[in-house]
């Protein structure tokens, strides 16, 4: 497909998302008024879930919506567990949509502007670059998604880092609207906390194994170079 067709099609889809975002229904929800979201949920729970998914996609593409606002709306309507899980699931889906949008529509256009050194750094540390960007959002979510999509990072490390990073970050944000110190910890919240601890431990083990593997590969390459020099 020609580059101009990709750009035009991407612009049309982006415009459609923005039109939906500016609709009266969505504007009422984005005002932060729980009653607006409650009204939508009472009319149709599936409509509410679909709108929150769409808004999460917009947030991941353009970062024009505060992330915590979407999570707060989910928690206020669906409860802590339901709001947390739906926010987490939709953030993963939205991240993948943004990743593939950048790769399919924009990679050819922006590849020439991405410095080789920066691209190599992202590709060599794909998991940790995305994971840190999720847990410590020093840069907007959309920038993390687009930067990963523009590079040649494979989807697997991007997905793993997004799943684990958002699991931790969204859990913290989900506590904010409830008041962290006044939250009543029920059994399902302890299960979520155990999952977070397990995910963190798994991420640490993956990092440790990769470091060992990389060190072993470097030693093997060094030995091979020395052997070829001797011969």
């Amino acid at each position: 497909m020609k580059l101009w067709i990709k750009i035009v099609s991407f612009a049309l889809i982006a415009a459609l998302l923005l039109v939906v975002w500016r609709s009266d229904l969505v504007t009422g929800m984005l005002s932060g008024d729980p009653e607006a979201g409650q009204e939508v949920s009472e009319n149709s729970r599936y409509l509410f879930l679909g709108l929150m998914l769409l808004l999460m996609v917009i947030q991941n593409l353009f970062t024009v919506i505060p992330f915590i606002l979407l999570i707060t709306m989910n928690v206020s309507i669906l409860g802590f567990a339901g709001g947390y899980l739906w926010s987490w699931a939709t953030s993963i889906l939205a991240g993948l949509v943004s990743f593939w949008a950048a790769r399919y529509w924009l990679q050819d256009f922006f590849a020439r502007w991405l410095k080789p050194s920066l691209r190599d750094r992202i590709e060599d540390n794909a998991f940790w670059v995305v994971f840190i960007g999720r847990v410590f959002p020093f840069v907007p979510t959309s920038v993390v998604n687009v930067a990963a999509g523009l590079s040649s990072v494979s989807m697997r490390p991007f997905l793993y880092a997004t799943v684990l990073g958002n699991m931790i970050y969204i859990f913290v944000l989900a506590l904010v609207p409830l008041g962290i110190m006044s939250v009543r910890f029920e059994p399902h919240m302890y299960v979520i906390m155990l999952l977070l601890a397990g995910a963190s431990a798994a991420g640490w083990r993956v990092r440790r194994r990769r470091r060992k593997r990389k060190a072993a590969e470097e030693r093997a390459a060094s030995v091979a170079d020395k052997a070829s020099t001797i011969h």
Side-chain angles (χ1 to χ4, degrees), residues 2-190:
K2 295 182 179 180
L3 178 59
W4 71 268
I5 297 179
K6 291 183 179 181
I7 295 176
V8 171
S9 60
F10 179 80
L12 290 174
I13 293 175
L16 177 62
L17 292 175
L18 289 175
V19 168
V20 173
W21 175 55
R22 296 293 297 175
S23 66
D24 293 338
L25 181 61
V26 173
T27 301
M29 295 175 62
L30 292 178
S31 65
D33 183 8
E35 293 183 1
Q38 188 66 45
E39 183 178 352
V40 175
S41 178
E42 289 176 355
N43 292 332
S44 175
R45 179 58 63 93
Y46 294 109
L47 175 60
F48 174 80
L49 296 176
L51 284 175
M52 297 311 295
L53 172 59
L54 181 60
L55 291 176
M56 188 66 77
V57 171
I58 294 175
Q59 197 279 336
N60 273 258
L61 279 171
F62 306 107
T63 316
V64 292
I65 306 172
F67 196 29
I68 191 172
L69 178 60
L70 300 182
I71 297 171
T72 300
M73 183 63 69
N74 282 330
V75 171
S76 65
I77 302 301
L78 304 176
F80 178 82
Y84 165 70
L85 292 175
W86 188 242
S87 298
W88 179 42
T90 54
S91 71
I92 296 170
L93 292 174
L96 291 176
V97 169
S98 302
F99 175 85
W100 283 113
R103 174 149 300 178
Y104 180 75
W105 277 299
L106 303 176
Q107 189 179 47
D108 294 339
F109 181 74
F110 284 104
R112 70 191 70 176
W113 306 106
L114 190 64
K115 294 182 179 180
S117 59
L118 178 59
R119 182 183 59 197
D120 293 341
R121 185 178 303 175
I122 294 175
E123 293 171 0
D124 293 340
N125 304 279
F127 176 87
W128 292 108
V129 169
V130 177
F131 180 79
I132 292 174
R134 300 302 190 203
V135 179
F136 305 101
F138 299 114
V139 293
T141 304
S142 58
V143 174
V144 176
N145 297 331
V146 172
L150 294 179
S151 67
S152 59
V153 170
S154 64
M155 188 183 70
R156 182 176 296 179
F158 176 84
L159 177 61
Y160 290 164
T162 299
V163 169
L164 295 177
N166 283 359
M167 179 186 292
I168 297 171
Y169 183 58
I170 292 176
F171 179 79
V172 175
L173 291 185
L175 293 174
V176 173
L178 301 180
I180 295 177
M181 300 305 296
S182 61
V183 173
R184 181 180 178 182
F185 281 85
E186 298 181 4
H188 63 263
M189 297 183 69
Y190 287 106

